[in-house]
PDB file of all heavy atoms in Angstrom:
ATOM      1  N   LEU T 367      -3.069  -1.121 -29.834  1.00 82.00           N
ATOM      2  CA  LEU T 367      -3.950   0.044 -29.952  1.00 82.00           C
ATOM      3  C   LEU T 367      -3.126   1.303 -30.221  1.00 82.00           C
ATOM      4  O   LEU T 367      -1.906   1.328 -30.017  1.00 82.00           O
ATOM      5  CB  LEU T 367      -4.764   0.209 -28.665  1.00 82.00           C
ATOM      6  CG  LEU T 367      -5.729  -0.936 -28.343  1.00 82.00           C
ATOM      7  CD1 LEU T 367      -6.304  -0.755 -26.943  1.00 82.00           C
ATOM      8  CD2 LEU T 367      -6.856  -1.016 -29.374  1.00 82.00           C
ATOM      9  N   ASN T 368      -3.801   2.358 -30.626  1.00 70.00           N
ATOM     10  CA  ASN T 368      -3.136   3.599 -31.026  1.00 70.00           C
ATOM     11  C   ASN T 368      -2.836   4.453 -29.792  1.00 70.00           C
ATOM     12  O   ASN T 368      -3.723   5.104 -29.257  1.00 70.00           O
ATOM     13  CB  ASN T 368      -4.021   4.366 -32.004  1.00 70.00           C
ATOM     14  CG  ASN T 368      -3.327   5.599 -32.548  1.00 70.00           C
ATOM     15  OD1 ASN T 368      -2.144   5.825 -32.290  1.00 70.00           O
ATOM     16  ND2 ASN T 368      -4.047   6.407 -33.302  1.00 70.00           N
ATOM     17  N   PHE T 369      -1.558   4.457 -29.360  1.00 67.00           N
ATOM     18  CA  PHE T 369      -1.148   5.249 -28.202  1.00 67.00           C
ATOM     19  C   PHE T 369      -0.579   6.610 -28.609  1.00 67.00           C
ATOM     20  O   PHE T 369      -0.099   7.347 -27.758  1.00 67.00           O
ATOM     21  CB  PHE T 369      -0.089   4.502 -27.383  1.00 67.00           C
ATOM     22  CG  PHE T 369      -0.655   3.429 -26.511  1.00 67.00           C
ATOM     23  CD1 PHE T 369      -0.837   2.144 -26.997  1.00 67.00           C
ATOM     24  CD2 PHE T 369      -1.021   3.699 -25.210  1.00 67.00           C
ATOM     25  CE1 PHE T 369      -1.356   1.142 -26.198  1.00 67.00           C
ATOM     26  CE2 PHE T 369      -1.551   2.708 -24.400  1.00 67.00           C
ATOM     27  CZ  PHE T 369      -1.718   1.430 -24.891  1.00 67.00           C
ATOM     28  N   SER T 370      -0.622   6.946 -29.885  1.00 64.00           N
ATOM     29  CA  SER T 370      -0.033   8.205 -30.344  1.00 64.00           C
ATOM     30  C   SER T 370      -1.065   9.317 -30.496  1.00 64.00           C
ATOM     31  O   SER T 370      -0.713  10.474 -30.651  1.00 64.00           O
ATOM     32  CB  SER T 370       0.676   7.984 -31.685  1.00 64.00           C
ATOM     33  OG  SER T 370      -0.243   7.516 -32.662  1.00 64.00           O
ATOM     34  N   SER T 371      -2.358   8.980 -30.473  1.00 59.00           N
ATOM     35  CA  SER T 371      -3.391  10.005 -30.609  1.00 59.00           C
ATOM     36  C   SER T 371      -4.679   9.495 -29.978  1.00 59.00           C
ATOM     37  O   SER T 371      -4.765   8.349 -29.536  1.00 59.00           O
ATOM     38  CB  SER T 371      -3.623  10.335 -32.093  1.00 59.00           C
ATOM     39  OG  SER T 371      -4.116   9.193 -32.782  1.00 59.00           O
ATOM     40  N   GLY T 372      -5.704  10.352 -29.965  1.00 59.00           N
ATOM     41  CA  GLY T 372      -7.005   9.944 -29.462  1.00 59.00           C
ATOM     42  C   GLY T 372      -7.039   9.783 -27.954  1.00 59.00           C
ATOM     43  O   GLY T 372      -6.283  10.416 -27.213  1.00 59.00           O
ATOM     44  N   SER T 373      -7.893   8.869 -27.486  1.00 56.00           N
ATOM     45  CA  SER T 373      -8.125   8.719 -26.047  1.00 56.00           C
ATOM     46  C   SER T 373      -6.949   8.108 -25.313  1.00 56.00           C
ATOM     47  O   SER T 373      -6.873   8.189 -24.095  1.00 56.00           O
ATOM     48  CB  SER T 373      -9.369   7.853 -25.823  1.00 56.00           C
ATOM     49  OG  SER T 373      -9.192   6.581 -26.433  1.00 56.00           O
ATOM     50  N   LEU T 374      -6.003   7.463 -26.026  1.00 57.00           N
ATOM     51  CA  LEU T 374      -4.844   6.843 -25.369  1.00 57.00           C
ATOM     52  C   LEU T 374      -3.569   7.642 -25.565  1.00 57.00           C
ATOM     53  O   LEU T 374      -2.482   7.139 -25.279  1.00 57.00           O
ATOM     54  CB  LEU T 374      -4.636   5.423 -25.922  1.00 57.00           C
ATOM     55  CG  LEU T 374      -5.585   4.351 -25.380  1.00 57.00           C
ATOM     56  CD1 LEU T 374      -5.367   3.050 -26.124  1.00 57.00           C
ATOM     57  CD2 LEU T 374      -5.420   4.154 -23.897  1.00 57.00           C
ATOM     58  N   LYS T 375      -3.676   8.867 -26.068  1.00 57.00           N
ATOM     59  CA  LYS T 375      -2.484   9.639 -26.383  1.00 57.00           C
ATOM     60  C   LYS T 375      -1.607   9.838 -25.154  1.00 57.00           C
ATOM     61  O   LYS T 375      -2.050  10.334 -24.127  1.00 57.00           O
ATOM     62  CB  LYS T 375      -2.887  10.997 -26.961  1.00 57.00           C
ATOM     63  CG  LYS T 375      -1.706  11.826 -27.450  1.00 57.00           C
ATOM     64  CD  LYS T 375      -2.180  13.124 -28.098  1.00 57.00           C
ATOM     65  CE  LYS T 375      -0.995  13.914 -28.620  1.00 57.00           C
ATOM     66  NZ  LYS T 375      -1.440  15.183 -29.246  1.00 57.00           N
ATOM     67  N   LYS T 376      -0.324   9.408 -25.276  1.00 59.00           N
ATOM     68  CA  LYS T 376       0.686   9.575 -24.222  1.00 59.00           C
ATOM     69  C   LYS T 376       0.253   8.952 -22.894  1.00 59.00           C
ATOM     70  O   LYS T 376       0.560   9.474 -21.828  1.00 59.00           O
ATOM     71  CB  LYS T 376       1.013  11.050 -24.021  1.00 59.00           C
ATOM     72  CG  LYS T 376       1.652  11.693 -25.242  1.00 59.00           C
ATOM     73  CD  LYS T 376       2.001  13.147 -24.967  1.00 59.00           C
ATOM     74  CE  LYS T 376       2.635  13.789 -26.186  1.00 59.00           C
ATOM     75  NZ  LYS T 376       2.962  15.207 -25.965  1.00 59.00           N
ATOM     76  N   ASP T 377      -0.475   7.838 -22.948  1.00 69.00           N
ATOM     77  CA  ASP T 377      -0.901   7.164 -21.717  1.00 69.00           C
ATOM     78  C   ASP T 377       0.165   6.135 -21.336  1.00 69.00           C
ATOM     79  O   ASP T 377       0.025   4.936 -21.558  1.00 69.00           O
ATOM     80  CB  ASP T 377      -2.262   6.495 -21.921  1.00 69.00           C
ATOM     81  CG  ASP T 377      -2.939   6.169 -20.605  1.00 69.00           C
ATOM     82  OD1 ASP T 377      -2.221   6.038 -19.600  1.00 69.00           O
ATOM     83  OD2 ASP T 377      -4.165   6.057 -20.571  1.00 69.00           O
ATOM     84  N   GLU T 378       1.296   6.642 -20.739  1.00 76.00           N
ATOM     85  CA  GLU T 378       2.422   5.760 -20.432  1.00 76.00           C
ATOM     86  C   GLU T 378       2.082   4.714 -19.385  1.00 76.00           C
ATOM     87  O   GLU T 378       2.619   3.601 -19.414  1.00 76.00           O
ATOM     88  CB  GLU T 378       3.641   6.582 -19.958  1.00 76.00           C
ATOM     89  CG  GLU T 378       4.315   7.399 -21.031  1.00 76.00           C
ATOM     90  CD  GLU T 378       3.744   8.804 -21.120  1.00 76.00           C
ATOM     91  OE1 GLU T 378       2.689   9.042 -20.493  1.00 76.00           O
ATOM     92  OE2 GLU T 378       4.330   9.647 -21.822  1.00 76.00           O
ATOM     93  N   LEU T 379       1.192   5.065 -18.430  1.00 77.00           N
ATOM     94  CA  LEU T 379       0.844   4.106 -17.385  1.00 77.00           C
ATOM     95  C   LEU T 379       0.156   2.873 -17.969  1.00 77.00           C
ATOM     96  O   LEU T 379       0.488   1.734 -17.630  1.00 77.00           O
ATOM     97  CB  LEU T 379      -0.061   4.771 -16.351  1.00 77.00           C
ATOM     98  CG  LEU T 379       0.630   5.562 -15.237  1.00 77.00           C
ATOM     99  CD1 LEU T 379      -0.396   6.252 -14.380  1.00 77.00           C
ATOM    100  CD2 LEU T 379       1.513   4.674 -14.403  1.00 77.00           C
ATOM    101  N   ALA T 380      -0.831   3.105 -18.870  1.00 78.00           N
ATOM    102  CA  ALA T 380      -1.532   1.973 -19.480  1.00 78.00           C
ATOM    103  C   ALA T 380      -0.582   1.144 -20.337  1.00 78.00           C
ATOM    104  O   ALA T 380      -0.574  -0.092 -20.279  1.00 78.00           O
ATOM    105  CB  ALA T 380      -2.699   2.484 -20.329  1.00 78.00           C
TER     106      ALA T 380
END
Side-chain angles (χ1 to χ4, degrees):
L367 296 171
N368 185 6
F369 282 88
S370 60
S371 63
S373 59
L374 282 174
K375 186 176 182 180
K376 296 182 180 179
D377 198 336
E378 289 91 348
L379 275 175

